[in-house]
Amino acid sequence: MFRSRAKEEKAPVADKAQVNLSKQTRDPQAPKGRPTPKRSDSQSQRRSVANTSLTRKDAAKRQREERRAALDRQRQALAGGDERFLPARDKGPVRKFARDFIDSRFNVAEFFLPMAVVILVLSMVRVGSLQSIALLLWLVVIVLIVLDSFVTSFRLRKQLPERFPSENRRGAVAYALMRSLQMRRLRLPKPQVKRGERP
């Protein structure tokens, strides 16, 4: 009875507007399909996620375990020759060929340690002739290692471009020569070819 006419006139307009909005076709990608959560709800959710995250101690422990697992995989790869887990310096077909090239032949440098022990023992004996023999053996061993390394690097430099024309061959010769200095049974990755076998 004492209601104002302005409110009565506005009410049907609002109802019509709501009806018109509900009849409009909605873009399927635009709506969220759910009401917007309250700020308090979203904050409590964030807090629960933050609480379940790892502490610094747990994160460090997990990192140590992952590092230990990676090192174990790498050690097994070095023993078995699995390319997937080898260190970066040993990966790739060029490095594999360089390893096989060295492992398939006798290298003077790989006998350096045993010969060095023999020469050292001879040089310690207080006999003049044995000491002069030891000195001569040192010179012979060094000259043989240098000559053998020169021949090995020359042959390897010749074969690498033929086998791998489009691959990166940088450092492969030095890698092979460093491997030739190690005794065969101590080499890592372990040799995959026999002596005399073509790589």
Side-chain angles (χ1 to χ4, degrees), residues 61-74:
K61 186 179 178 183
R62 181 179 283 184
Q63 267 187 337
R64 278 198 303 273
E65 287 171 359
E66 286 173 0
R67 198 180 304 121
R68 196 176 294 123
L71 285 171
D72 286 341
R73 281 197 304 267
Q74 198 175 88

Side-chain angles (χ1 to χ4, degrees), residues 46-160:
R46 274 200 296 268
R47 278 196 209 100
S48 65
V49 170
N51 290 337
T52 55
S53 64
L54 293 174
T55 62
R56 179 183 283 181
K57 190 176 179 182
D58 292 338
K61 186 179 178 183
R62 181 179 283 184
Q63 267 187 337
R64 278 198 303 273
E65 287 171 359
E66 286 173 0
R67 198 180 304 121
R68 196 176 294 123
L71 285 171
D72 286 341
R73 281 197 304 267
Q74 198 175 88
R75 201 175 295 113
Q76 289 170 2
L78 287 169
D82 190 353
E83 281 280 329
R84 292 173 300 168
F85 303 116
L86 285 176
R89 69 182 178 89
D90 298 312
K91 277 185 179 178
V94 176
R95 297 297 170 103
K96 186 179 187 317
F97 177 76
R99 287 197 302 271
D100 292 346
F101 183 83
I102 294 298
D103 296 336
S104 65
R105 59 197 297 273
F106 282 97
N107 303 284
V108 178
E110 70 182 283
F111 302 110
F112 174 74
L113 279 177
M115 287 188 291
V117 171
V118 171
I119 293 167
L120 193 62
V121 169
L122 287 174
S123 64
M124 288 171 70
V125 177
R126 296 298 178 108
V127 179
S129 58
L130 285 178
Q131 287 183 341
S132 59
I133 288 169
L135 185 61
L136 186 64
L137 278 174
W138 267 123
L139 291 172
V140 169
V141 166
I142 290 168
V143 168
L144 284 174
I145 288 172
V146 169
L147 286 173
D148 187 52
S149 300
F150 179 76
V151 171
T152 301
S153 62
F154 178 75
R155 286 181 179 173
L156 193 56
R157 281 180 205 278
K158 191 177 177 183
Q159 288 195 26
L160 282 173

